[in-house]
Amino acid sequence: SAALLLAACGNEQSTDTTETTSGSATMESGKESIKSQLMQFYLSVSKEINSEDAPLNDFEIAQAEEALPSGEELSEMKEAAAAAAEQAKQAVEAIEVPESLSDYQEEIDGALTSIATSYEMKIEELGKETVDFQAAAEKFAEADEVLNELLEENGLVAPKLSNEVSQ
């Protein structure tokens, strides 16, 4: 779906070239650059998370399908998921906002903090007998909402980051 988004952005960019004054064209070009930077940043967030969270996704899928193992196998699966959540949290905390997006620094930092917090919550839940990720999912959704608002404000399609990272 990320390729579809980029294709949509690419099509959109080629339609706004009717400005005749150099100032307007430069301003339009600047907008397109911000659009491109925002989309690249958004995709980099999901890429960073996806590079770390596969065992966590495996646990969540098994849980959703009521197919979790038991005993030692469950303990190992929970440990692997918690380690993956920790790695994903660290990856998110290490993400730096490009200078070109400094106008959105506060919003992006807040979203990244919410994502990191959601992974921390998942780690805590994985230490419990019965794992419930609902509160963590809600915290992640807060970040999704902020990032999607930024994308929409800049004329971009706003996918759900939670869908991008849980594949």
Side-chain angles (χ1 to χ4, degrees):
S1 77
L4 184 64
L5 291 173
L6 290 176
C9 293
N11 291 341
E12 192 174 310
Q13 289 176 354
S14 63
T15 62
D16 293 333
T17 57
T18 57
E19 297 295 331
T20 54
T21 64
S22 63
S24 295
T26 302
M27 200 153 90
E28 195 61 43
S29 174
K31 274 190 204 175
E32 294 304 322
S33 177
I34 292 297
K35 279 182 173 183
S36 175
Q37 289 288 321
L38 262 175
M39 186 51 72
Q40 286 177 4
F41 179 77
Y42 181 89
L43 294 173
S44 74
V45 171
S46 65
K47 182 179 175 187
E48 287 295 320
I49 292 170
N50 282 332
S51 71
E52 303 294 345
D53 73 345
L56 177 61
N57 290 340
D58 293 344
F59 179 90
E60 291 183 88
I61 291 167
Q63 185 183 39
E65 295 174 352
E66 297 182 10
L68 285 172
S70 57
E72 185 62 29
E73 194 177 344
L74 176 59
S75 295
E76 289 172 7
M77 190 177 206
K78 285 171 114 177
E79 285 175 26
E86 178 62 35
Q87 292 296 318
K89 180 180 89 109
Q90 289 176 10
V92 169
E93 291 171 342
I95 293 172
E96 293 187 20
V97 179
E99 191 174 315
S100 61
L101 298 179
S102 61
D103 288 350
Y104 308 107
Q105 182 83 39
E106 189 175 322
E107 294 94 331
I108 294 172
D109 284 345
L112 293 174
T113 298
S114 291
I115 293 170
T117 300
S118 76
Y119 281 104
E120 185 63 42
M121 295 166 79
K122 287 182 177 189
I123 294 165
E124 290 174 20
E125 282 298 318
L126 287 160
K128 297 179 180 179
E129 184 71 30
T130 303
V131 177
D132 182 358
F133 288 143
Q134 184 61 38
E138 290 169 7
K139 181 56 88 173
F140 197 100
E142 290 173 15
D144 226 356
E145 195 173 305
V146 170
L147 293 173
N148 285 345
E149 196 171 295
L150 288 177
L151 293 171
E152 289 170 352
E153 284 173 9
N154 285 280
L156 295 166
V157 175
K160 289 187 67 134
L161 186 61
S162 56
N163 290 344
E164 299 291 324
V165 301
S166 60
Q167 300 299 323

